[in-house]
Amino acid sequence: MTTEHIDDSTVTVPPSRGYSGTKEDYHKRLRRIEGQVRGIARMVEEDTYCIDVLTQVSAVTKALHAVSLGLLEDHIGHCVVNAAQSSPTEGQEKVAEAAAAIARLVRS
């Protein structure tokens, strides 16, 4: 968090994230995914045909990957760029952090 002085008072400002401008969009997508997961649980409870359940699991997996890729793009466009503009060392650290996140996504 950062601190700003405005008109003789101090205000604590939370750090800005790359996805801050589209946070509500991410919330909507995640709520939709949450509903899909509940639907899968219901399908299992109702002994739905295996392939139909797997089809829904695949849809949820793709939806989560789409969220991940969006967050990654936001992170690189905001956090990595800002760090690189701040200092070469900080930029290298953020690039390494993003590369590790990409590696985790690729393995999943």
Side-chain angles (χ1 to χ4, degrees):
M1 292 213 193
T2 59
T3 303
E4 292 184 15
H5 297 287
I6 301 172
D7 298 329
D8 295 330
S9 61
T10 302
V11 177
T12 302
V13 179
S16 173
R17 303 291 181 212
Y19 60 85
S20 294
T22 56
K23 189 189 303 191
E24 187 54 38
D25 292 337
Y26 282 113
H27 275 278
K28 287 177 187 175
R29 293 169 82 180
L30 291 168
R31 283 191 297 269
R32 192 172 323 122
I33 292 167
E34 182 180 22
Q36 288 177 290
V37 171
R38 282 193 304 272
I40 293 169
R42 204 168 27 256
M43 291 173 79
V44 170
E45 180 65 31
E46 296 169 356
D47 292 323
T48 302
Y49 184 59
C50 303
I51 297 303
D52 294 339
V53 176
L54 290 170
T55 299
Q56 292 306 309
V57 169
S58 177
V60 168
T61 301
K62 287 179 185 177
L64 281 171
H65 279 148
V67 169
S68 297
L69 290 174
L71 287 169
L72 185 59
E73 183 178 351
D74 291 341
H75 177 69
I76 290 169
H78 180 264
C79 301
V80 174
V81 168
N82 287 348
Q85 290 172 342
S86 176
S87 79
T89 302
E90 201 173 319
Q92 289 172 346
E93 289 171 1
K94 289 293 181 187
V95 167
E97 181 181 64
I102 293 167
R104 287 190 301 274
L105 286 172
V106 171
R107 284 192 296 262
S108 62

